Structures are given as structure tokens and as C-alpha cells.
């Protein structure tokens, strides 16, 4: 049962009514980039905007001062969550467009909240800090913030509209090599170079790439390259990100990377210390829900790819959420296809453009309609749940 034209119009009107406030929110967050877990201004501005609309928020949830939750509607019925991210990147600010992501989520929530009394059920806004390497959503999963939800949704800015795009399972590993220092000119024969082992790790990993499955990414940088030019380096270190399309391949590749580091250490007669940091899970896009979002997007004249393999994928803690509750994470263009991708300076400029803010409003409309439709339509909820359990 598709959304009634009257409800769709009410949601469109609500987003239109809030559009000035949403654009201001997006621009303010863009002008004040805050790193993971430090999103004090961004989370406050969102909560203040909600408060000015008479909507209370619960702040500091899941042990994170910049996480929050707002709920509208009655208990006992279906519940749908819309997720807002608002963290920025070091050096390049809002080059992932999370300022727009936040504005779109707040707009969708305000619109859905304006009709939820008529429709029944609950609409939830979750403020999720630290997507960029902090895994705020994982802490919120552990704290039970996603329990009892029928679906979770968000949108992400991109260079094209895609309803469902992969996100890679990921982990980070740090290698610290401990060698034996000596004078690099006077007594090179007495030293064991930690730096050589560190560099050999990169070379050995490169040699293994022919054995990786499609979609695997292993990328690293040297965090400590030694102490001085005339000392055989006693200490050297590097960090690798390891990603794959699923957990099984991730673990297989991770074992290969470990083998390379250990082999490099053995070759140089040094020791290696290994520290593993858990990353994010791969994403399970709920296609039933994604296609409904796509239909609502079409009403705005936007024809999205259902999916495309012509552009690469990153990783997101929404992947973890998608294993706990049926989820969508569609991408919407804020620039021309191929013009710029996330984490580039140009993308940060696009995140403050008129096209960017208009995309955030399109996302708000489409998410609000998808969420309300889901609250209204039990058959749709069942189809979503059925796909998710399969
Ligand atoms: Zn992002």
C-alpha cells in the first residue's frame, strides 16, 4: 500500500517549512568542522533546533557526550530510526558531507514527526558520533539503541545517486618493529634495522595482492621511519587498513598481512609487536526498503542507480547497524558524476553548495516518506523483515 498523496504532500510541506533552518544547520556545521567524538557544536545545534520545535532530546547516550536520541509518537507500535552523522575529517573539514547528512536526517525526522500522531508508531532520530574511525554506532548498538526497531535509515552525499552500494568490512592493524641500533657508518654490522622490516612488510603485502579477491583493499603508511640518518633504526612502525567485501575474506587477508609482517621481521632479525583495532562490518542493504526510497526519490525527478560497480566503496559503521536491524544507506549526488568523491577538498566545497543543500532536502523528503510508509504499512514491514532474515 503506497503512501497516500495527502500524507506525501504533508511530508513535502513539512520539509519545505523547515528548509531555511535545515540549510542554516548544514552551513553552520560545515563552517565549524569537528572531529570524531568532539562534535559538541554540531550535536548541540541539532538538539537546539529540535527543542525550538518542542521536541526534547536525550543527550550523552551510549557513553558518548555527542550522541543523542529524540523520539516522537506512541509506544507499542512499529519504530523506525533515522540516523544523523556530523563528524568531520582532519585537515579537510566536511569532505565527507556529514553536515548535509545531518541536515537531511533532521529534516526527515521533523517531517515524519509532524504526521506520526496520525499514522501511529514511533519515529526516532539517533545522533551517531564518530563515523570517521570512531565507530559511534557500534557503541550505540552495544548500548541497545537499535533494539526493537523495524528499520534504520540514513543517506550519504556522493557524486551520483545509488540506492544500494557495498561497504567493505574493515580492520586496522599497527606493526611496531623493534630492532638493534648501531652507528650506520661506523658499525652497520652490529645493527638490525627496524625500518628495513617495516618497508619489507609493504613489499611483501604488495606481492600478495594477486591472491586477493575482488574488492579487497590493503593500504598503509609508515608512522615511524626511524630516529636519525646515522643510526640503524631501533624502532619503526606502520599502520594498515585491511578491507574486504565480507568478514571471511577480511580474516583471510588479515592473516596474510600478519604473515608478511612476521616474515619481514624474521628477515631483518627484529621483533614485531602487533596491535589490532576492530573496524566496521560489511553492509547488508535492504533492497525492499531501498527500492521504496528510490520510488520517493523519483518523485523529486531523481533516477538513482539501483546499484553500480563503476565506483569504489569505503567502510561505514552503518554496516554494523545493518546486521542488527534492516537498514538502508543510499548515496545521493552533490556534484557531477566523476567530479569529486568523499575525502577530497573539492567534495568539501560541494558539501557547502546550493546543490548540496538541495540534495539534503531531497534526502529528507524521500527518507520521511519511506519511514512513514513503513510505519503505516504492515505488509511492507513484513517484506523488509523477511528479506533481512533470509
Ligand atoms: Zn562519510
Amino acid at each position: 500500500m503506497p503512501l497516500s498523496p495527502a500524507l506525501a504532500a504533508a511530508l513535502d510541506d513539512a520539509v519545505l517549512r523547515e528548509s531555511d533552518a535545515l540549510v542554516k544547520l548544514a552551513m553552520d556545521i560545515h563552517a565549524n568542522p569537528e572531529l570524531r567524538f568532539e562534535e559538541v557544536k554540531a550535536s548541540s545545534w541539532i538538539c537546539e533546533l529540535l527543542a525550538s520545535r518542542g521536541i526534547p532530546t536525550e543527550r550523552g547516550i551510549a557513553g558518548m557526550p555527542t550522541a543523542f536520541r529524540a523520539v516522537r509518537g506512541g509506544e507499542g507500535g512499529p519504530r523506525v530510526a533515522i540516523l544523523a552523522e556530523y563528524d568531520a575529517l582532519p585537515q579537510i573539514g566536511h569532505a565527507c558531507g556529514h553536515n548535509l547528512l545531518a541536515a537531511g536526517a533532521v529534516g526527515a525526522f521533523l517531517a515524519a514527526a509532524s504526521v506520526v500522531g496520525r499514522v501511529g508508531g514511533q519515529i526516532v532520530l539517533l545522533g551517531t558520533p564518530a563515523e570517521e574511525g570512531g565507530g559511534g554506532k557500534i557503541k550505540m548498538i552495544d548500548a541497545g539503541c537499535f533494539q526493537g526497531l523495524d528499520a534504520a535509515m540514513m543517506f550519504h552525499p556522493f557524486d551520483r545517486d545509488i540506492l544500494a552500494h557495498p561497504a567493505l568490512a574493515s580492520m586496522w592493524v599497527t606493526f611496531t618493529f623493534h630492532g638493534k641500533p648501531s652507528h650506520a657508518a661506523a658499525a652497520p654490522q652490529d645493527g638490525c634495522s627496524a625500518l628495513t622490516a617495516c618497508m619489507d612488510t609493504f613489499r611483501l603485502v604488495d606481492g600478495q595482492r594477486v591472491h586477493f579477491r575482488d574488492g579487497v583493499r590493503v593500504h598503509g603508511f609508515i608512522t615511524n621511519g626511524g630516529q636519525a640518518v646515522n643510526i640503524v633504526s631501533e624502532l619503526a612502525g606502520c599502520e594498515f587498513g585491511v578491507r574486504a567485501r565480507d568478514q571471511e575474506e577480511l580474516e583471510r587477508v588479515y592473516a596474510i598481512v600478519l604473515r608478511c609482517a612476521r616474515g619481514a621481521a624474521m628477515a631483518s632479525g627484529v621483533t614485531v609487536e602487533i596491535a589490532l583495532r576492530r573496524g566496521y562490518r560489511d553492509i547488508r542493504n535492504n533492497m525492499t526498503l531501498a527500492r521504496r526510497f528510490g520510488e520517493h526519490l523519483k518523485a523529486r525527478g531523481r533516477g538513482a542507480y539501483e546499484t553500480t560497480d563503476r565506483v569504489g566503496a569505503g567502510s561505514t559503521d552503518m554496516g554494523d547497524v545493518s546486521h542488527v536491524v534492516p537498514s538502508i544507506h543510499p548515496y545521493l549526488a552533490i556534484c557531477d558524476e566523476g567530479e569529486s568523491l568523499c575525502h577530497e577538498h573539492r567534495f568539501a566545497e560541494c558539501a557547502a553548495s546550493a546543490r548540496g543543500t538541495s540534495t539534503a532536502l531531497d534526502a529528507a523528503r524521500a527518507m520521511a516518506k519511506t519511514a512513514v510508509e513503513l510505519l503505516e504499512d504492515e505488509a511492507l514491514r513484513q517484506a523488509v523483515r523477511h528479506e533481512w532474515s533470509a
Side-chain angles (χ1 to χ4, degrees):
M1 184 181 64
L3 197 64
S4 75
L7 264 181
L11 293 168
D12 279 337
D13 287 350
V15 172
L16 191 63
R17 257 197 324 273
E18 297 291 359
S19 58
D20 287 351
L22 296 171
V23 169
K24 182 179 186 317
L25 178 69
M27 297 306 281
D28 285 348
I29 296 176
H30 189 278
N32 293 272
E34 298 168 299
L35 300 183
R36 59 183 180 217
F37 299 121
E38 296 170 4
E39 313 95 329
V40 177
K41 289 178 188 159
S43 58
S44 298
W45 289 332
I46 296 170
C47 293
E48 284 161 18
L49 175 59
L50 296 179
S52 74
R53 305 300 189 260
I55 300 176
T57 43
E58 193 186 342
R59 299 175 70 169
I61 59 173
M64 293 177 286
T66 56
F68 65 86
R69 170 172 42 213
V71 182
R72 294 273 95 176
E75 303 219 338
R79 300 173 70 220
V80 175
I82 293 167
L83 275 56
E85 297 171 4
Y86 27 76
D87 56 330
L89 292 154
Q91 318 289 338
I92 48 175
H94 274 288
C96 210
H98 293 184
N99 61 312
L100 299 173
L101 197 165
V106 173
F109 173 75
L110 286 173
S114 73
V115 304
V116 73
R118 272 195 262 167
V119 174
Q122 266 186 356
I123 185 82
V124 181
L125 178 68
L126 290 173
T128 67
E131 189 275 336
E132 297 289 356
K137 292 183 197 65
I138 298 172
K139 295 179 202 300
M140 294 174 78
I141 291 169
D142 293 344
C145 299
F146 291 91
Q147 265 170 25
L149 289 172
D150 288 271
M153 64 182 73
M154 58 180 288
F155 99 99
H156 199 294
F158 209 45
D159 75 332
R160 63 201 80 188
D161 291 358
I162 313 175
L163 301 181
H165 196 51
L168 302 174
S170 65
M171 55 170 69
W172 291 274
V173 58
T174 302
F175 298 118
T176 308
F177 296 93
H178 298 271
K180 181 167 176 275
S182 68
H183 195 294
Q189 70 282 1
D190 291 337
C192 294
S193 171
L195 179 60
T196 301
C198 191
M199 293 193 300
D200 281 344
T201 303
F202 283 80
R203 286 189 278 266
L204 291 171
V205 167
D206 285 342
Q208 294 302 309
R209 290 187 194 278
V210 292
H211 307 296
F212 296 163
R213 285 184 199 275
D214 288 351
V216 169
R217 296 283 185 276
V218 181
H219 43 93
F221 79 119
I222 293 185
T223 52
N224 180 354
Q227 289 65 56
V229 69
N230 57 1
I231 305 173
V232 169
S233 55
E234 180 175 17
L235 199 65
C238 55
E239 181 179 359
F240 282 90
V242 184
R243 313 192 202 212
R245 285 189 184 156
D246 57 57
Q247 198 65 28
E248 197 182 355
E249 177 69 355
L250 182 71
E251 274 157 29
R252 195 185 72 84
V253 172
Y254 174 64
I256 292 173
V257 172
L258 281 191
R259 202 167 73 203
C260 292
R262 290 194 176 117
M266 189 173 76
S268 278
V270 306
T271 60
V272 59
E273 202 183 314
I274 298 159
L276 171 67
R277 193 154 56 89
R278 177 187 166 179
Y280 300 152
R281 297 187 71 177
D282 57 297
I283 201 162
R284 295 174 65 189
N285 287 295
N286 191 279
M287 293 313 300
T288 308
L289 205 51
R291 288 182 187 125
R292 291 313 306 154
F293 179 88
E295 283 303 312
H296 296 307
L297 207 54
K298 237 183 240 167
R300 297 294 302 166
R302 301 182 78 129
Y305 295 103
E306 183 158 296
T307 186
T308 172
D309 56 9
R310 294 182 65 84
V311 62
S315 304
T316 169
D317 53 5
M318 191 62 179
D320 294 70
V321 173
S322 76
H323 286 262
V324 177
V325 53
S327 301
I328 55 169
H329 184 276
Y331 289 88
L332 295 188
I334 62 166
C335 60
D336 289 338
E337 195 168 314
E339 184 183 351
S340 178
L341 282 180
C342 314
H343 296 206
E344 297 173 1
H345 287 289
R346 174 73 192 127
F347 202 77
E349 290 167 19
C350 299
S353 67
R355 184 169 176 183
T357 51
S358 127
T359 290
L361 298 178
D362 283 345
R365 291 179 181 98
M367 282 195 289
K369 290 174 189 170
T370 309
V372 169
E373 195 172 41
L374 199 62
L375 291 178
E376 241 196 345
D377 187 346
E378 196 187 341
L380 179 61
R381 288 199 301 279
Q382 273 176 9
V384 164
R385 177 63 59 175
H386 184 261
E387 181 192 329
W388 190 76
S389 316

